[in-house]
Amino acid sequence: MTDDDGWPRARTARADRDRGPRTLTASEAAALLGVSVATVRGWADQGRLPSHRTVGGHRRFELEQLREWLAGRGAPAPEPRRLRRTPQDIPACPLLARELNARTESIVERVLAGYDAEVPTPLPPPSEPAIRRIAIRFIRVLAASLETGRPGATTGRAELAGLRGGLQGAPGTRVIVEHTRIAAAAMMEAESARREGVPIERLAIPALASAVDHAQAAIARGFEQAQVLRASPQGTPPAR
């Protein structure tokens, strides 16, 4: 819902009732600014974007402060259509979600086995503990997407991983490479489960492929926003 200028209305009934400052969630602020949620949170944590926390600890952004923040950078109010996102749900596949979680160690082993000293790679192979940590986190993202059927609501961790990698500069490209290998290993394990006759949903494999696409796209978004941060002298986006 937007006002006459195309700015999102706050969702808090109390704010409307008391006619106090209108506030936005991190996702609403991200849609407003045209950046990722991870970037908005990062800017807020670093004090680059005005925000406050509720009593419950949730990050909130005052609409008027964001107006002033954008105006100070010569950025016009975004058009209303940019604030609407088409939901992209996938078939929920809780059986495959549980199977992937159970096969986490097998997925890690597949990733590690994919490295061989006789085959050069553009980046040094990660350590076993490192790849295990990354794989566990990524599999949780994929499993949550499959469990709920809502990948867009579960890829925040992947986006943050991309943001952290991007902030490291050129060496940070490893975040994309490593997650690609993990995604491939997860797909192979899912195919193996189906061949073994493990009960999984009819559309489980295509749903997993879609969940991987969403997660990888989230990593790319985070990585891209990190490049914007690194390129901007003040760590803020250029005026649009």
Side-chain angles (χ1 to χ4, degrees):
M1 184 181 297
T2 60
D3 60 18
D4 294 337
D5 297 324
W7 292 74
R9 294 184 185 276
R11 293 184 177 179
T12 56
R14 180 177 179 180
D16 289 340
R17 184 174 63 251
D18 298 340
R19 297 189 180 278
R22 289 186 289 176
T23 61
L24 306 177
T25 64
S27 60
E28 290 171 330
L32 176 67
L33 301 179
V35 298
S36 70
V37 175
T39 298
V40 163
R41 289 172 176 163
W43 287 342
D45 289 341
Q46 297 164 19
R48 293 170 175 166
L49 189 66
S51 68
H52 66 275
R53 289 192 180 276
T54 65
V55 175
H58 300 292
R59 180 79 70 179
R60 291 293 181 267
F61 303 82
E62 289 192 13
L63 182 57
E64 288 304 320
Q65 289 182 339
L66 293 186
R67 284 182 190 266
E68 296 172 2
W69 189 86
L70 277 175
R73 288 156 181 78
E79 298 178 10
R81 64 176 177 272
R82 295 192 60 180
L83 303 179
R84 291 194 289 267
R85 295 183 178 180
T86 303
Q88 294 185 333
D89 293 350
I90 63 176
C93 299
L95 293 177
L96 179 57
R98 289 192 285 273
E99 189 64 23
L100 283 182
N101 279 324
R103 292 176 178 242
T104 297
E105 191 60 33
S106 296
I107 293 172
V108 172
E109 290 175 0
R110 282 185 183 272
V111 175
L112 293 174
Y115 290 98
D116 191 294
E118 297 183 16
V119 181
T121 57
L123 294 169
S127 67
E128 182 175 342
I131 202 64
R132 180 168 279 102
R133 287 194 301 271
I134 297 168
I136 289 173
R137 292 170 184 163
F138 194 52
I139 293 166
R140 285 176 179 170
V141 169
L142 298 180
S145 297
L146 291 169
E147 186 78 34
T148 63
R150 300 180 58 199
T154 59
T155 53
R157 287 185 179 180
E159 196 168 295
L160 284 172
L163 181 66
R164 293 192 193 100
L167 290 175
Q168 297 173 20
T173 55
R174 69 168 52 251
V175 71
I176 298 174
V177 173
E178 291 165 359
H179 282 83
T180 298
R181 284 181 177 256
I182 296 168
M187 290 296 301
M188 293 172 68
E189 277 298 316
E191 290 283 4
S192 179
R194 184 174 64 176
R195 288 195 301 271
E196 294 167 8
V198 174
I200 59 175
E201 292 80 5
R202 180 177 64 85
L203 296 175
I205 302 301
L208 174 58
S210 180
V212 166
D213 288 348
H214 279 84
Q216 293 286 62
I219 291 173
R221 285 196 303 271
F223 194 91
E224 180 183 13
Q225 293 305 323
Q227 303 313 300
V228 174
L229 277 172
R230 287 172 56 83
S232 178
Q234 288 78 36
T236 53
R240 290 176 292 179

